Amino acid sequence: MKKKILLCSLVICYLVTLFGNIRARAEENGDVPEQLYARSAVLMDADSGRVLFGKEESEIRPMASTTKIMTCILALENQKEGQIVTVSGYAAGQPKVRLGVREKEQFILKDLLYSLMLESHNDSAVVIAEGISGTVEAFAGLMNQKAKELGCMDTHFVTPNGLDGSDDGGIHATTARDLAMIMRYCISQSPCREEFLEITRAKNYQFSDVELKRSFYCVNHNAFLDMMDGALSGKTGFTSDAGYCYVGALERDGRTFIVALLACGWPNNKGYKWKDTRKLMEYGIANYEYRDVWEDVTLPDIEVMGGVKKEAPYETQLYIPLRLKGKEEILVLLREGETVEVETDLKERIDAPVKKGENAGKVRYLLDGREIASFAVVTDQSVEKRDLRWAVEWVLHLMLMQGGTEAFMTP
């Protein structure tokens, strides 16, 4: 019995040591961050949209109130100047967390965006959705349309506030990757990105209903804004199905990172999302730097079929030089050891006539098989076509060079 206990102890010690060594090597080489609490997680480069680290990043899960980043950006993009919205009975009956709006009350829509993003009020989300699209169902359609435009093919919206729900299209859910892509759009691609950042970074906000009968005060509950230098934006979320969720962005030394977390613990583990966010952000800051990956590519001359040059009219094989069209700098966020592959895709030959600057192919820069940049390859000379018209003009040219038509007449 003692021998068995001793043997089991030795095996456990060996496995612990082995796992520790593997983990230590992985962390030393910058391969993975430390153990995460979230079931799904993504660290994304906001400039390129590339996933720098993923954990079950394509698993479809509920996303709770992180939904509200899509609600906010669509409201900003579709609102009318100074738009006023009226509270419906359905909106007033939404569950906590609530602003406490009352049926038939009126608000300036933009004021409710602070309620939406700072306090995560569910009733405000419905008032906003109905104000933009008329009904929650119509607004969900707008959300799903935008998701598809952004390439978020594993996302389905049912509610504007993130409360768990389902319809004929499926359950209200997304993936960590898709959620990061939506945040990327909100902070860097939307025409209303500056307004989005202004709202989500506000420490607090005070407003009243249109008739000035009641006033409201909102405080930002995004602790990440004070957690790390360069924090840009973020949104928390929680439902019983989704667990704690978070999506946030940080800018540091010209680099912008996005973290998205789904199913990051349940009560009483409210702080897990902040720990995971910090780990992923610090991993990105420590391991990824911009590098110029530009390479001077030697381009071959291209054969021109049926072409002719005045300075060499009798040559039957004709080649002209090519040149690369584009700037000589490509900055890519890379980890140590990552390399970019350069691939040329050129036409074997081209038919005359050819104009200078005509397309003849391209040079592609690939990272992990994905194109990150491309530059056109164009012709560097013009070439005429050897046809009947050219032949007649050439004969006339020879005649003039030899003193006119008399040089071709017999005495």
Side-chain angles (χ1 to χ4, degrees):
M1 185 67 179
K2 291 183 179 180
K3 289 183 178 179
K4 287 184 178 180
I5 293 173
L6 179 60
L7 180 60
C8 289
S9 299
L10 290 172
V11 169
I12 290 171
C13 290
Y14 171 76
L15 291 174
V16 169
T17 303
L18 179 62
F19 176 79
N21 289 338
I22 291 172
R23 180 175 172 179
R25 286 197 300 272
E27 291 175 359
E28 182 181 348
N29 296 330
D31 291 335
V32 292
E34 297 178 20
Q35 184 69 34
L36 298 174
Y37 294 107
R39 293 182 181 176
S40 291
V42 152
L43 173 69
M44 177 176 285
D45 169 25
D47 290 335
S48 67
R50 183 165 75 104
V51 173
L52 306 178
F53 173 85
K55 174 186 176 183
E56 296 189 17
E57 67 271 24
S58 298
E59 288 294 315
I60 299 174
R61 304 184 191 276
M63 65 288 213
S65 286
T66 59
T67 295
K68 292 179 173 112
I69 65 171
M70 180 66 96
T71 301
C72 183
I73 202 66
L74 287 178
L76 288 171
E77 292 178 355
N78 291 278
Q79 69 177 338
K80 297 180 179 66
E81 183 71 28
Q83 183 174 350
I84 293 175
V85 290
T86 303
V87 178
S88 69
Y90 178 69
Q94 291 297 299
K96 293 181 178 180
V97 176
R98 306 172 63 249
L99 177 64
V101 297
R102 298 168 183 169
E103 187 174 0
K104 296 184 180 180
E105 265 188 321
Q106 291 187 316
F107 293 88
I108 296 173
L109 187 147
K110 191 169 182 180
D111 285 339
L112 293 182
L113 294 179
Y114 288 88
S115 164
L116 178 82
M117 300 304 291
L118 273 57
E119 295 277 3
S120 200
H121 291 142
N122 293 321
D123 49 356
S124 295
V126 173
V127 178
I128 292 165
E130 292 177 339
I132 295 295
S133 299
T135 67
V136 164
E137 291 76 17
F139 189 77
L142 189 65
M143 298 171 85
N144 288 318
Q145 178 185 339
K146 176 60 75 173
K148 285 181 172 56
E149 290 173 5
L150 300 180
C152 301
M153 310 311 288
D154 294 316
T155 295
H156 182 65
F157 291 104
V158 179
T159 67
N161 46 29
L163 292 175
D164 298 323
S166 63
D167 59 16
D168 293 341
I171 66 168
H172 187 88
T174 189
T175 66
R177 178 199 170 276
D178 281 5
L179 183 57
M181 288 294 289
I182 295 169
M183 177 58 92
R184 178 186 180 224
Y185 176 76
C186 291
I187 66 168
S188 64
Q189 297 177 309
S190 169
C192 297
R193 56 189 177 274
E194 294 299 330
E195 293 173 89
F196 178 87
L197 288 171
E198 178 185 347
I199 291 170
T200 57
R201 297 176 73 176
K203 295 293 184 182
N204 51 67
Y205 189 76
Q206 187 169 0
F207 64 97
S208 302
D209 67 304
V210 170
E211 294 183 355
L212 304 179
K213 291 181 177 179
R214 295 201 296 157
S215 62
F216 304 87
Y217 185 76
C218 299
V219 176
N220 198 327
H221 293 280
N222 181 13
F224 176 65
L225 293 176
D226 298 315
M227 189 184 301
M228 297 185 71
D229 291 339
L232 284 177
S233 180
K235 186 69 190 75
T236 59
F238 174 80
T239 68
S240 58
D241 287 348
Y244 290 110
C245 303
Y246 185 69
V247 59
L250 175 145
E251 184 179 13
R252 181 84 63 87
D253 300 327
R255 301 163 293 172
T256 304
F257 299 102
I258 295 170
V259 165
L261 307 170
L262 298 176
C264 192
W266 273 260
N268 296 312
N269 298 310
K270 198 172 183 178
Y272 283 178
K273 61 183 179 291
W274 304 128
K275 294 179 181 179
D276 279 3
T277 298
R278 180 184 287 277
K279 287 177 184 177
L280 286 169
M281 290 297 189
E282 289 178 346
Y283 169 73
I285 292 167
N287 288 281
Y288 285 88
E289 297 286 348
Y290 274 106
R291 295 211 310 262
D292 185 1
V293 297
W294 172 270
E295 289 187 19
D296 291 322
V297 179
T298 302
L299 299 171
D301 291 347
I302 189 170
E303 184 177 7
V304 180
M305 306 301 293
V308 63
K309 284 185 177 180
K310 286 184 178 179
E311 62 270 24
Y314 302 113
E315 289 185 9
T316 56
Q317 277 194 314
L318 179 60
Y319 292 86
I320 60 172
L322 299 173
R323 64 180 174 86
L324 200 60
K325 186 179 180 181
K327 62 179 182 179
E328 297 185 358
E329 182 185 61
I330 307 174
L331 295 177
V332 182
L333 199 63
L334 296 174
R335 192 180 66 219
E336 185 177 353
E338 283 188 310
T339 58
V340 172
E341 179 184 355
V342 182
E343 181 181 274
T344 57
D345 183 11
L346 305 176
K347 296 179 181 179
E348 292 184 4
R349 57 187 63 86
I350 192 169
D351 293 327
V354 177
K355 292 182 179 180
K356 184 176 180 179
E358 188 171 324
N359 183 63
K362 64 180 180 179
V363 173
R364 305 168 65 221
Y365 285 75
L366 306 173
L367 178 59
D368 297 331
R370 175 189 172 194
E371 183 178 300
I372 57 172
S374 67
F375 298 90
V377 175
V378 297
T379 55
D380 205 28
Q381 291 180 3
S382 297
V383 177
E384 295 183 69
K385 185 177 181 179
R386 188 191 296 272
D387 56 12
L388 180 60
R389 178 179 176 180
W390 176 85
V392 171
E393 290 178 350
W394 178 249
V395 170
L396 291 174
H397 170 73
L398 290 178
M399 291 170 64
L400 291 172
M401 290 292 292
Q402 296 184 35
T405 55
E406 292 181 359
F408 289 86
M409 297 176 62
T410 57

